[in-house]
Amino acid sequence: GENVEQHPSTLSVQEGDSAVIKCTYSDSASNYFPWYKQELGKGPQLIIDIRSNVGEKKDQRIAVTLNKTAKHFSLHITETQPEDSAVYFCAASSNTDKLIFGTGTRLQVFP
Amino acid sequence: GAVVSQHPSRVICKSGTSVKIECRSLDFQATTMFWYRQFPKQSLMLMATSNEGSKATYEQGVEKDKFLINHASLTLSTLTVTSAHPEDSSFYICSAQRVMNTEAFFGQGTRLTVV
C-alpha cells in the first residue's frame, strides 16, 4: 500500500520568510496530492491540491510542486504570516484507494 | 468549498456509556465518508471507510464492535463509541468525498473525554 513520508516535523520561520515542506510517496499509481492545514482543535482544511498531470500549481502565497519521477511533492509558502502557523499535512491517493496522510509538519511563524 | 458538519464538537461521558458522533455533508452528496482518530501532536489515523448503504470497512486493529459506523444516507454518517473507556478519549474527525480520489472535506472534529 501507499506510504507517505513528510519532512520536517517542525519548522520555525521569521515572518516574511518562505517555508517549504516536503513529502515523498511510494505508490506510483498515486495521482492526487492534497495539502491540508490544521489549526489547534479543528479539523483539517484543504489549502491546495495537485494532480499528476501537472507539475506545479500556485494560489497566491501558496504553491505545490510535483516530481512524479522522484515521487515527491512539496508545499511552498511565501511571505509567511503569523496566521500561517498551524500543522500541515500532505496526502496522496490513487483512483482506487483512500487518502494516505503524512505525519504532519508543525509550522511556527514568528513576528 | 463544500461543508461538512460534525456534531458534537466536545463531549464528556462516563465510562461504560455510549457516545454517538454525527457527520453531515451539508451541500453535497458523499458516496464515501471516513472516520479518523487523532492523538495529540500526531497525524490522522484512519479508523474506517463508510459507504452509503453498505457495511463500513475497518482498518486493521480497529474494533468493529466498539466503533459502530452507520452510513444511512448520502449526507449522514455516524460513529458510535460503545462502552467507552478512558483510553477511548481522543479527537475524532470525519471527512466526506463526492467520489474517491477527489477533495476530502473534513468536519470540525469531536473531542471525546471519557471519565
Side-chain angles (χ1 to χ4, degrees), chain A residues 6-69:
Chain A
Q6 183 172 346
H7 298 281
S9 57
T10 60
L11 179 59
S12 297
V13 299
Q14 203 75 33
E15 181 177 3
D17 287 350
S18 295
V20 180
I21 303 171
K22 299 181 179 182
C23 288
T24 59
Y25 61 99
S26 61
D27 188 353
S28 56
S30 290
N31 56 10
Y32 176 60
F33 308 94
W35 284 89
Y36 289 87
K37 175 183 180 183
Q38 186 179 25
E39 297 179 341
L40 191 63
K42 298 183 179 180
Q45 296 294 310
L46 179 72
I47 56 172
I48 195 167
D49 57 8
I50 192 169
R51 293 196 175 272
S52 58
N53 58 344
V54 176
E56 184 175 358
K57 185 176 178 180
K58 191 172 182 180
D59 182 5
Q60 299 183 338
R61 297 187 296 109
I62 296 173
V64 56
T65 58
L66 171 65
N67 183 328
K68 286 191 295 182
T69 303

Side-chain angles (χ1 to χ4, degrees), chain A residues 31-32 36 38 41-46 49 51 89 93-99 101-104 106, chain B residues 34 36 38 40-44 46 49 59 91 93 97 100-109 111:
Chain A
N31 56 10
Y32 176 60
Y36 289 87
Q38 186 179 25
K42 298 183 179 180
Q45 296 294 310
L46 179 72
D49 57 8
R51 293 196 175 272
F89 292 98
S93 72
S94 65
N95 288 338
T96 58
D97 208 353
K98 53 190 177 288
L99 274 175
F101 285 87
T103 48
R106 185 171 299 277
Chain B
F34 301 88
Y36 298 84
Q38 188 176 36
K41 298 186 179 181
Q42 292 192 23
S43 189
L44 298 99
L46 181 65
T49 302
E59 295 298 303
F91 193 54
I93 311 172
Q97 293 179 264
M100 288 289 282
N101 207 28
T102 61
E103 299 170 54
F105 300 97
F106 284 84
Q108 309 95 314
R111 171 74 57 193

